[in-house]
Amino acid sequence: MKKQTLALTLILGLTSGAAFAKDDYSGFRVGVGAVSGQKSAIDADAKVSKPTAKIEAGYDFNRVFSVNGSITDQRGETGSYKMKGNEAKLEGEVGYAFNVGQGWDIKPYVAAGVAHSNGTIEIAGESDRVRGTTLSTAAGVRLTTPIGIYVDGRMQKNQLSKQQKRESRFTDSSQAAVSVGFKF
């Protein structure tokens, strides 16, 4: 009798969990997008004007907390200034995903983490290596459709320390980013 009760409890627990999982907001996200707005500390007009590519992944623990990771291509060219490199970012996110009806969710959020840049800058034929880790902050909104496709728009900024501001080839200017992806 004890074995039958245990088996019945286990079956009910597994099936009710599977039925309840439809309303569970947790899951992975992957997407691609673009970032625009990075400025150079060498020349204020040497803005990486055209958007650069971004690949991102994230995990939503629930409707409030998430973790995000991304890799952004950092390329730009203005006159004698050329830049090539990438930025890897890892951040925690907090907000709330409001269900606005029939499976549509909208999540305003703020995020903070670290960003690591690595690359080279060429100025008038001379090449210089760029490397550094900074604090990263962002505020944005993510819209998720009933079929799992999402659109994410955000304003982000890498906060340079005083020493990094003196030594860096970048300013800590704000950047706009948009991405489209799929939530599993």
Side-chain angles (χ1 to χ4, degrees):
M1 183 70 171
K2 287 183 182 180
K3 288 182 183 180
Q4 291 173 340
T5 305
L6 179 61
L8 182 60
T9 305
L10 185 59
I11 290 170
L12 286 174
L14 290 174
T15 57
S16 66
F20 186 70
K22 284 183 179 179
D23 294 330
D24 186 15
Y25 191 77
S26 66
F28 286 97
R29 293 178 274 109
V30 292
V32 296
V35 178
S36 181
Q38 180 67 57
K39 292 183 181 177
S40 167
I42 300 162
D43 180 359
D45 295 329
K47 181 178 176 182
V48 179
S49 57
K50 59 183 186 178
T52 57
K54 170 184 176 179
I55 298 172
E56 67 181 16
Y59 184 79
D60 297 315
F61 296 103
N62 50 37
R63 290 187 171 274
V64 178
F65 300 105
S66 302
V67 64
N68 303 316
S70 66
I71 296 176
T72 303
D73 185 31
Q74 293 183 323
R75 294 180 191 266
E77 187 173 336
T78 303
S80 61
Y81 169 85
K82 288 183 186 178
M83 183 187 143
K84 250 191 311 192
N86 58 51
E87 175 186 78
K89 192 176 284 193
L90 183 63
E91 59 191 14
E93 171 185 303
V94 65
Y96 188 78
F98 297 95
N99 185 330
V100 292
Q102 299 178 356
W104 290 80
D105 293 305
I106 188 162
K107 182 179 184 180
Y109 65 86
V110 293
V114 294
H116 179 77
S117 294
N118 190 11
T120 58
I121 290 182
E122 189 177 304
I123 306 163
E126 290 187 30
S127 185
D128 190 13
R129 188 130 176 91
V130 177
R131 180 179 290 159
T133 302
T134 60
L135 173 67
S136 166
T137 57
V141 176
R142 183 178 311 111
L143 174 68
T144 306
T145 68
I147 59 172
I149 295 173
Y150 72 85
V151 177
D152 188 320
R154 63 173 19 204
M155 290 300 293
Q156 61 189 28
K157 186 173 185 177
N158 292 343
Q159 314 288 338
L160 301 177
S161 68
K162 289 180 182 180
Q163 181 179 355
Q164 286 173 322
K165 286 181 182 180
R166 284 192 303 271
E167 297 173 358
S168 180
R169 300 291 187 174
F170 304 107
T171 64
D172 56 357
S173 59
S174 295
Q175 304 166 10
V178 65
S179 55
V180 176
F182 190 78
K183 179 174 171 42
F184 299 93

